[in-house]
Amino acid sequence: MILKNHRILSLTLLLTCGLIGSVAVAKPLAKSAGFSGTVGINMGVSDTQSQFHIDDDNEQTQDLSNDGKAVSTEIFFPFFRLDYTTSDLQTQYFIGQSPDKILNSAIQYEIGVKHQFDERQSMTFAYIPDVPFLKETWSDPFLINAPREKSDIDSSAVRLAYKFSPVQIEYSYASYSIENEQSGSQMSAEDQASLNRDSDYQRLSLESLFPLWQGIYGKANVFYGAQDAKGESQSFDEFHYSLSIMTKYERHFVSVQAAFSDREYNAKNPIFGEVQKDDVTRYSFIYSYSEPFDIEGTNLNIIYQNKKNDANIAFYDSSTKLFSVGMSYSFN
């Protein structure tokens, strides 16, 4: 998507920790009617190399033929999920992070509703509002030998999912606007227009959960995404596929995932004189241990992720490694 700010990626992984303990292969919306939820906090460290990493150490670049400076960042982040389930246990209103999205390393604060028609069928609608100060990028990432200014990214999105177990189909739509978009400020007006990153993004995904062995499950996900940006060189088509292996034994939950994305842009980038192509790989490991101190509702969570974007233009290459440890508390 439009966001290549890898501080966002770091937060993605941190949010994963708190809710994993409540993830099950199949379960009702809640044990009882009323409020339930999860709160937690995480600490971790991320090592990132990307021209789009918003850090003072990466504020200035000497040329456009490198992928930026390597930056190590400590992270401290709270998270939450609050649900309200109706008396018939078929409808649930929620705010916060969704466990199924978190397992796919998707950061998004949601406000939504889920209705379960029967044991196999359910539908979810969620609105993902803009969170101030969470998303940032460089106003003009292509400045050389001069400090690059930061700009907030305003965004909002919706998603609609229908599940007929074990298959789920989902459609999502998002819009992005950079408050102070100045890409290519040293170039002609025509080239600047081609680099404009304000955009609309649509995605259609298909996901399936299936048993592999006793207590071990696999989850496959594929999606097609399309970004329609104001700048033709910033519009792209994207194909993604991932496979997760999950198991839960007594107090232990383990998930490993491999994900791959191919992204091809629609027109030549006027700065580099060629069409951008990205090959993204992501490997994730999640471990959760419930009630580590025999305190009901608590979880100890550990996560590691390695993500790399191998682009045909060196400026867009990036890599991020993240390790995080956190504690969470769930209540019913």
Side-chain angles (χ1 to χ4, degrees):
M1 297 173 72
I2 190 172
L3 302 180
K4 295 188 176 74
N5 176 358
H6 288 273
R7 193 167 71 185
I8 299 301
L9 172 64
S10 301
L11 296 180
T12 304
L13 271 297
L14 290 181
L15 294 174
T16 309
C17 297
L19 301 176
I20 294 304
S22 65
V23 174
V25 172
K27 65 176 185 179
L29 293 180
K31 295 180 180 178
S32 59
F35 288 100
S36 60
T38 299
V39 294
I41 199 162
N42 286 84
M43 293 188 295
V45 61
S46 68
D47 295 318
T48 300
Q49 186 162 5
S50 169
Q51 284 284 4
F52 291 83
H53 184 63
I54 308 305
D55 187 274
D56 291 342
D57 292 339
N58 200 40
E59 184 180 37
Q60 188 166 311
T61 186
Q62 305 304 313
D63 58 69
L64 302 181
S65 60
N66 67 88
D67 54 355
K69 296 180 180 178
V71 177
S72 182
T73 307
E74 294 179 354
I75 301 170
F76 178 79
F77 198 81
F79 55 91
F80 77 100
R81 162 85 176 202
L82 180 65
D83 302 310
Y84 177 79
T85 308
T86 56
S87 57
D88 59 7
L89 302 184
Q90 288 187 293
T91 304
Q92 186 176 81
Y93 302 91
F94 60 85
I95 183 171
Q97 292 86 34
S98 295
D100 56 337
K101 297 288 101 181
I102 286 175
L103 281 172
N104 289 326
S105 298
I107 179 174
Q108 51 196 46
Y109 293 88
E110 299 182 326
I111 302 171
V113 58
K114 181 175 182 179
H115 181 76
Q116 188 162 297
F117 300 100
D118 53 41
E119 292 183 355
R120 298 188 64 187
Q121 295 186 78
S122 64
M123 182 169 286
T124 302
F125 174 79
Y127 169 66
I128 300 95
D130 181 55
V131 180
F133 312 114
L134 185 59
K135 307 182 187 75
E136 292 180 304
T137 188
W138 301 122
S139 293
D140 184 359
F142 308 110
L143 285 178
I144 300 175
N145 296 319
R148 295 181 284 192
E149 296 183 358
K150 299 176 184 178
S151 177
D152 289 335
I153 301 174
D154 298 326
S155 67
S156 61
V158 294
R159 69 179 182 95
L160 178 65
Y162 172 73
K163 184 173 184 178
F164 187 79
S165 185
V167 176
Q168 175 172 291
I169 185 169
E170 179 176 296
Y171 169 79
S172 56
Y173 168 84
S175 63
Y176 298 92
S177 176
I178 298 173
E179 290 186 1
N180 186 27
E181 171 62 298
Q182 298 291 329
S183 293
S185 59
Q186 308 300 311
M187 306 183 70
S188 67
E190 182 181 357
D191 289 340
Q192 288 184 55
S194 179
L195 292 167
N196 193 310
R197 293 168 289 175
D198 292 351
S199 62
D200 296 320
Y201 180 84
Q202 298 184 74
R203 173 186 293 177
L204 183 64
S205 66
L206 184 67
E207 184 173 284
S208 180
L209 185 70
F210 49 91
L212 292 174
W213 193 246
Q214 296 179 350
I216 301 176
Y217 289 82
K219 183 174 70 172
N221 177 280
V222 295
F223 72 68
Y224 165 74
Q227 177 164 292
D228 182 16
K230 287 186 177 180
E232 189 177 5
S233 72
Q234 300 302 299
S235 299
F236 62 75
D237 295 305
E238 176 181 28
F239 294 93
H240 168 95
Y241 42 100
S242 67
L243 177 64
S244 302
I245 307 298
M246 300 173 290
T247 185
K248 188 171 185 179
Y249 175 72
E250 295 182 347
R251 297 186 180 187
H252 307 275
F253 173 85
V254 177
S255 173
V256 293
Q257 183 187 75
F260 309 92
S261 298
D262 298 317
R263 185 182 302 161
E264 183 167 352
Y265 289 71
N266 294 356
K268 285 185 179 180
N269 187 304
I271 291 181
F272 302 100
E274 58 181 312
V275 176
Q276 181 183 343
K277 298 179 182 179
D278 296 336
D279 292 321
V280 183
T281 58
R282 185 184 75 239
Y283 302 100
S284 304
F285 170 82
I286 299 169
Y287 171 76
S288 180
Y289 181 72
S290 61
E291 302 182 3
F293 305 106
D294 292 327
I295 301 175
E296 186 177 357
T298 61
N299 280 276
L300 169 68
N301 309 285
I302 299 173
I303 187 164
Y304 171 80
Q305 185 178 67
N306 187 335
K307 182 176 182 178
K308 183 177 181 180
N309 181 33
D310 184 14
N312 63 325
I313 301 172
F315 182 82
Y316 292 103
D317 286 343
S318 64
S319 62
T320 297
K321 295 180 181 179
L322 182 141
F323 177 80
S324 172
V325 178
M327 288 290 297
S328 62
Y329 173 71
S330 300
F331 60 92
N332 296 311

